[in-house]
Amino acid sequence: MIFRDKIESKIFSLETLLQRIEFWRTLGDKIVFTNGCFDILHQGHVHLLAACNEFGERTIVGLNSDSSVKKLKGPSRPVNNEKSRAAILASTQFVDAVVLFYELTPENLLHAIKPDVLVKGGDWKKDEIIGGNFVESYGGKVKTVSYLKGFSTTEIITRSKK
C-alpha cells in the first residue's frame, strides 16, 4: 500500500467509521475522541494527540469542516482546507481515524460515536466541554490535557504577520 492510500484509509465518513468502531470494540479497544479545527498543525496539537493515545487504544479526531471553521474563526480561516487538514492528521501515528463534521459543535458526532473517553486541551474547563455531560451519562470519561502556551493557530498566524 502506498503512503497516500495509508493516509486516506484513516479518513472516514461517519457511516464507515461507525462500522470500524464496532470492529475495534470487538477487539476490546477503548475509543478516544477529540475534535477541533487543526488549521495549522503545531506542537500543541501534537501534544494533545499524543496524550489521547494514553487514554485508550484508538484515537478518533472529529475535524471541523471548512464551513464550520469559517463560522467559528472568521472569513480568513481556515488557512488549510479540510482535505489537507484531514490528510495531515491522518498521517500522524497518533490518529486512527479522522471524520469531518459540518456543524459548529461535535455534539451529533459524539452521540453517534459514543466514545469511551472525550479529550480536550487544558484551555477548556471540564464543565464547558461540549458533549462532556453526554459522555459521562453512559459511563464515559472526560479528560483535559495540559495546554502548551504559545502554541495556538491564532498566535502562529499573528506572529507570522509581524
Side-chain angles (χ1 to χ4, degrees):
M1 183 184 303
I2 62 173
F3 291 116
R4 188 177 68 208
D5 291 341
K6 281 185 176 182
I7 291 168
E8 289 176 3
S9 74
K10 292 166 71 175
I11 301 171
F12 292 85
S13 68
L14 179 56
E15 182 180 318
T16 307
L17 177 60
L18 292 175
Q19 293 170 359
R20 182 62 56 95
I21 290 169
E22 189 176 318
F23 171 71
W24 287 336
R25 285 199 164 119
T26 66
L27 300 175
D29 291 350
K30 189 181 284 187
I31 307 300
V32 179
F33 178 89
T34 192
N35 68 281
C37 300
F38 297 92
D39 197 1
I40 299 173
L41 196 64
H42 53 70
Q43 186 175 346
H45 291 136
V46 173
H47 175 73
L48 172 71
L49 296 171
C52 285
N53 282 204
E54 296 178 18
F55 300 125
E57 288 73 36
R58 302 292 178 171
T59 297
I60 299 169
V61 176
L63 182 63
N64 287 80
S65 66
D66 288 349
S67 60
S68 67
V69 173
K70 195 169 289 305
K71 288 175 189 168
L72 290 167
K73 303 288 185 177
S76 65
R77 302 276 296 276
V79 173
N80 293 300
N81 67 40
E82 62 195 38
K83 186 174 181 178
S84 175
R85 293 181 289 123
I88 291 166
L89 284 166
S91 72
T92 72
Q93 68 182 13
F94 303 116
V95 175
D96 296 287
V98 177
V99 61
L100 283 167
F101 67 97
Y102 297 85
E103 302 85 7
L104 294 180
T105 74
E107 188 83 38
N108 292 334
L109 203 50
L110 287 165
H111 282 260
I113 293 171
K114 295 185 176 98
D116 299 296
V117 184
L118 170 60
V119 180
K120 289 295 287 179
D123 51 330
W124 286 83
K125 293 180 182 169
K126 190 174 176 187
D127 61 342
E128 295 175 347
I129 295 174
I130 294 165
N133 289 337
F134 170 71
V135 171
E136 291 179 333
S137 76
Y138 57 80
K141 304 289 184 205
V142 178
K143 304 281 189 179
T144 57
V145 174
S146 62
Y147 178 75
L148 294 183
K149 286 190 177 240
F151 291 100
S152 80
T153 300
T154 301
E155 290 176 37
I156 291 168
I157 291 170
T158 301
R159 282 195 310 262
S160 73
K161 291 180 179 178
K162 290 183 178 182

